[in-house]
Amino acid sequence: MSNPKSPLVGIPTRSFVIPGRREVVRGVFNAYIDSLRASGGEAVMLPPGAVAALNRLDALLLVGGEDLAAADCWSSGAPLSPVDPERDNYEALLVHRARILGIPTLGRCRGAQLVNCVLGGTVASLDAVGVARHSNANPSDSAIHHIRIGPDTRLASVLDHRVEIRVVSRHATAISALGVGLVASAWATDGSIEAIESSDWPFLGVQWHPEWFMEDVNPDRALFNWLIDEAKQRTER
C-alpha cells in the first residue's frame, strides 16, 4: 500500500506503439516509477492536456524520448524521426507552470534539453567522436563515461561534493547555448554539457540516465532523493 504522505511526482506520458495493435499506448518506463518509489515518492501519470493537475502535485520528472521537433531549438544538426511536436508543446506548458509555481523538477536526457529550449537555449548534434562517448553502436545498449562536476553548484551539493562520477548515457545530441537563468554544472571529457540548473527555481537537468542504477547506493539515487526532499520541503512551507 502506498504511503499517503509520499510526495506526488508528475511524469508526462509518451506514446508507445505495440506491434500488431492499432491502439497507441501512453505511459512511462517502470524504471522511473521504481526510482521515485525507492526515494519515497509516488509517480502520477500526466497525459497531454493535464497541465492543471500540476497544481496538485509536489514535483515534476521530465523523462527521455524523441528529439525535440522545433527547428529553432537546434544550433546545429536536425532532429531525427520520429518526433512528437504534441509532446514537446505539452511538456513546454508543464515547464512554464512548474517554474511559475516553484515546483521541484528533475529533467533527464530529453527532459533537460526540453527545459533548456523552453527557456531560450539550443541543442546540437554531437560529432562522431562525441557520439562514441555518449552512446553505443547498438541502440539497445548504453555507454558509460565520466563527467566532471562544477564546484559550488546545486549538483555538487546533491552529489556530496564529488568532483567526478561515472554515468550511464545514450544520446546523440547535447545542450548547446544555455537558456535564460540556467547555468551548466557538469561536463563530459569532450567538453559537452552534462548537467544544467537554475538559480531561481529548484530545477536540475542531467544528460545521463540516473534511473539505470549501476549500484544500490550511488550518485544517481541521490538525484531522485534530492527531488523528493525538495518536494517535501515545499509541502511543509
Side-chain angles (χ1 to χ4, degrees):
M1 182 178 295
S2 299
N3 182 352
K5 295 183 180 179
S6 297
L8 300 178
V9 183
I11 309 180
T13 58
R14 58 181 293 195
S15 298
F16 296 92
V17 176
I18 300 177
R21 298 292 297 270
R22 293 183 179 180
E23 299 91 345
V24 174
V25 175
R26 297 201 67 91
V28 300
F29 290 121
N30 284 340
Y32 303 124
I33 299 171
D34 294 342
S35 297
L36 290 172
R37 227 169 238 169
S39 294
E42 289 294 340
V44 177
M45 303 296 103
L46 296 175
V51 178
L54 199 56
N55 298 0
R56 302 188 294 275
L57 302 180
D58 306 307
L60 178 65
L61 175 62
L62 298 168
V63 300
E66 310 87 356
D67 283 348
L68 301 174
D72 58 3
C73 283
W74 293 78
S75 63
S76 69
L80 297 176
S81 296
V83 294
D84 189 346
E86 179 189 24
R87 181 186 178 193
D88 293 351
N89 294 335
Y90 166 51
E91 291 187 356
L93 294 175
L94 289 172
V95 169
H96 285 301
R97 190 65 180 160
R99 193 180 184 201
I100 290 170
L101 296 175
I103 292 176
T105 301
L106 175 62
R108 29 82 54 229
C109 204
R110 169 198 153 91
Q113 294 184 6
L114 175 83
V115 171
N116 187 59
C117 288
V118 168
L119 297 183
T122 58
V123 298
S125 295
L126 289 164
D127 59 26
V129 175
V131 172
R133 292 191 180 98
H134 299 274
S135 191
N136 192 296
N138 184 344
S140 65
D141 292 334
S142 301
I144 296 176
H145 64 90
H146 287 80
I147 65 167
R148 173 176 58 86
I149 301 164
D152 303 319
T153 60
R154 176 178 289 141
L155 182 64
S157 178
V158 169
L159 300 183
D160 198 26
H161 302 285
R162 298 187 188 213
V163 297
E164 186 178 278
I165 62 171
R166 289 192 311 157
V167 298
V168 181
S169 176
R170 189 172 70 192
H171 61 98
T173 58
I175 290 168
S176 181
L178 287 167
V180 175
L182 298 176
V183 297
S185 52
W187 300 262
T189 55
D190 60 9
S192 59
I193 295 172
E194 283 283 334
I196 56 176
E197 56 191 61
S198 172
S199 59
D200 61 0
W201 167 38
F203 163 73
L204 273 175
V206 300
Q207 277 290 162
W208 67 91
H209 290 259
E211 74 278 10
W212 295 340
F213 300 136
M214 290 185 288
E215 304 164 2
D216 289 336
V217 179
N218 58 63
D220 290 333
R221 178 67 58 82
L223 291 170
F224 289 99
N225 290 344
W226 167 81
L227 183 66
I228 299 307
D229 288 344
E230 286 288 327
K232 290 178 178 177
Q233 291 177 31
R234 182 172 180 269
T235 59
E236 293 169 357
R237 287 197 289 268

